[in-house]
Amino acid sequence: MESDDRYEMLEQIGSGRYATVYRARDKSLGREVAIKQIHEQFLGGSLRLDRYWHEAQLLASLQHPNIVTIYDIDRERGWLVMELMQSTLAERISGRQIDLRSLRTALAHCLRALKYLHERGIVHGDLKPSNMMLDNRRRIKV
């Protein structure tokens, strides 16, 4: 877990095959953020990594209440700095049945985000409960 002058790494909050996500503090702006750090073995130039950075730049240009905001990227460190989410839909329901009203709300949020993306020629490609994140206002973001 690497820190720098601007970001103070606080704790690991998730990990996958491709990257680890940390809760961090942006000391310049005084807010908590999520930093997705690509695993070192994937940082050597590749077509997949180039596509990842291209998608990050594209997503950073989008503004929608149901899409996670990307604040910054640091290619050298493999960092994608973004809005800190509270949990995922998968974590929130944790194997329990979701009530119909909550399901409708979650689907409406996802559909708004997908409509916005599709109007711009973007296909999400991996929509599932673990990629449906909840912000501090309990809105679903993809």
Side-chain angles (χ1 to χ4, degrees), residues 2-31:
E2 177 183 339
S3 289
D4 74 353
D5 290 337
R6 180 167 180 179
Y7 299 103
E8 176 188 359
M9 299 298 214
L10 301 173
E11 68 177 320
Q12 180 178 323
I13 56 176
S15 186
R17 189 178 62 81
Y18 194 65
T20 300
V21 181
Y22 298 94
R23 183 173 64 88
R25 180 154 186 78
D26 181 336
K27 294 183 275 187
S28 295
L29 297 176
R31 66 178 169 195

Side-chain angles (χ1 to χ4, degrees), residues 46-61:
S46 71
L47 182 58
R48 182 176 182 183
L49 185 61
D50 289 342
R51 244 183 321 192
Y52 178 82
W53 292 125
H54 177 72
E55 287 175 15
Q57 287 176 308
L58 177 65
L59 290 173
S61 70

Side-chain angles (χ1 to χ4, degrees), residues 62-132:
L62 305 176
Q63 287 189 328
H64 189 275
N66 300 112
I67 296 177
V68 175
T69 302
I70 296 176
Y71 300 131
D72 195 9
I73 60 173
D74 183 330
R75 288 178 190 241
E76 286 182 27
R77 288 188 174 99
W79 287 4
L80 180 59
V81 182
M82 58 191 138
E83 176 181 11
L84 181 65
M85 298 283 98
Q86 302 304 307
S87 67
T88 68
L89 183 60
E91 292 167 349
R92 187 61 57 98
I93 60 177
S94 186
R96 296 183 311 268
Q97 187 172 2
I98 187 170
D99 69 88
L100 189 55
R101 183 176 179 185
S102 296
L103 178 61
R104 282 187 189 138
T105 300
L107 289 175
H109 289 180
C110 288
L111 290 172
R112 283 187 206 113
L114 292 175
K115 180 178 187 273
Y116 178 84
L117 292 171
H118 291 182
E119 288 172 348
R120 286 152 182 79
I122 303 166
V123 176
H124 187 287
D126 193 23
L127 195 60
K128 56 190 176 190
S130 60
N131 288 340
M132 296 175 188

